[in-house]
Amino acid sequence: MSAILIVEDEKHLADGLRFNLEAEGYVVETVGDGEAALALLLEERERFDVVILDVMLPGVNGFTVVSDLRRAGQFVPVLMLTARGQPEDVLRGFEAGADDYLAKPFDLSVLTARINGLLRRRQWFHLDQNNLSATDANTKNDVKEESGAADELFVFNGRTIDFGALELRTSEQTVRLTLMEAEVLRYLLRHEGRVVPRKALLEDVWGLHEDTDTRAIDNFIVRLRKYLEDEPTKPKHLLTVRGVGYRFVTQ
Ligand code: CA
């Protein structure tokens, strides 16, 4: 049975969610502020399978909670609840390390679909870890699009991206990736050599259709460059295509 932590200060909303999610068969706990969420999630790292995190909280807000979790190496999937019509909140949440988002108010059926999506992704990112096959930089990377199989290692430029373990490894360090970082990387690798418009990234990976400020995507790409490039300010692999978007090349 999957365990969900709801972080929401509006008690009627938290209780309503708990009631409905328990009826769907989840084990649910609620906390009313960010400090309590951080304490619980850092104390018992394996206890919850998904966190539903409201952005607007008293004290420490949702953005800070998720970035503090990631900084502390806690990579439980986080679904952020944002205010409708605030796409910059969505992007800020992804930048902070969230995995998915839902704008308030929402239908319960949409919420449970998103929760199940996060649980499924978490599972298939961890599938087949004993059955890994490395691809080298000269081999076409064949990430399977819809199968859900985690094709696990992608090796280039002295880096190994391990989609099974959600890690990027170099000789010096191992970086943990959020589900969203892994998905953006997968998307770029899948379109290797081709121009990926910002709009396509927004729609296909982030599920955003709004007319969104794309600077937040650029910030996200800057972070990925720190993982992928020897000199992040002079990228050789994750290239900017001026006025359009990005292009990933292995050579
Ligand atoms: Ca709130």
Side-chain angles (χ1 to χ4, degrees):
M1 224 175 334
S2 298
I4 298 175
L5 178 66
I6 298 171
V7 188
E8 168 64 88
D9 57 309
E10 291 163 77
K11 199 168 181 312
H12 68 282
L13 226 158
D15 289 345
L17 276 179
R18 186 199 350 227
F19 178 83
N20 283 298
L21 290 174
E22 282 176 349
E24 300 279 331
Y26 298 105
V27 175
V28 182
E29 203 156 317
T30 65
V31 291
D33 62 71
E35 287 89 345
L38 280 168
L40 192 53
L41 290 164
L42 295 178
E43 178 82 8
E44 298 182 69
R45 289 175 174 246
E46 304 295 325
R47 178 158 156 205
F48 297 97
D49 299 295
V50 169
V51 177
I52 298 172
L53 176 63
D54 192 35
V55 167
M56 297 291 288
L57 295 167
V60 177
N61 70 22
F63 301 121
T64 305
V65 171
V66 73
S67 65
D68 283 2
L69 288 176
R70 299 322 188 204
R71 215 180 356 249
Q74 166 56 289
F75 283 81
V76 60
V78 171
L79 184 146
M80 292 203 86
L81 301 180
T82 65
R84 189 168 296 281
Q86 301 287 322
E88 59 278 9
D89 278 4
V90 173
L91 291 168
R92 205 174 147 201
F94 282 131
E95 276 186 74
D99 297 292
D100 203 351
Y101 82 100
L102 202 53
K104 287 175 161 181
F106 49 81
D107 288 335
L108 184 69
S109 60
V110 177
L111 177 67
T112 53
R114 295 299 182 81
I115 291 169
N116 289 329
L118 283 175
L119 292 169
R120 215 166 33 239
R121 267 150 70 194
R122 185 169 159 88
Q123 273 160 14
W124 46 262
F125 271 113
H126 292 85
L127 274 181
D128 293 335
Q129 285 200 55
N130 301 319
N131 188 23
L132 304 178
S133 60
T135 52
D136 70 47
N138 298 317
T139 314
K140 266 279 169 267
N141 171 46
D142 69 338
V143 176
K144 291 188 196 83
E145 190 133 4
E146 301 296 345
S147 68
D151 312 81
E152 301 336 326
L153 297 187
F154 185 86
V155 183
F156 87 107
N157 192 31
R159 285 147 177 82
T160 302
I161 303 171
D162 184 335
F163 287 106
L166 289 174
E167 285 177 356
L168 183 142
R169 295 190 287 267
T170 69
S171 52
E172 288 106 49
Q173 59 167 347
T174 297
V175 178
R176 279 295 304 265
L177 302 170
T178 66
L179 282 171
M180 184 51 73
E181 286 170 340
E183 293 216 345
V184 172
L185 280 171
R186 248 178 210 277
Y187 191 84
L188 291 166
L189 300 183
R190 193 184 293 147
H191 295 83
E192 189 193 328
R194 284 178 277 162
V195 176
V196 173
R198 285 186 181 80
K199 190 170 157 17
L201 258 181
L202 266 181
E203 290 191 1
D204 295 347
V205 183
W206 306 36
L208 282 177
H209 301 279
E210 287 99 323
D211 197 10
T212 308
D213 181 353
T214 55
R215 273 174 307 184
I217 301 184
D218 299 335
N219 294 340
F220 205 84
I221 295 290
V222 165
R223 189 163 79 205
L224 293 182
R225 278 190 180 129
K226 288 185 187 146
Y227 304 159
L228 301 176
E229 303 282 353
D230 297 333
E231 288 183 80
T233 56
K234 293 179 192 157
K236 293 197 167 85
H237 301 283
L238 184 41
L239 309 174
T240 298
V241 181
R242 205 173 288 277
V244 183
Y246 299 97
R247 191 158 62 95
F248 177 77
V249 291
T250 51
Q251 303 293 336

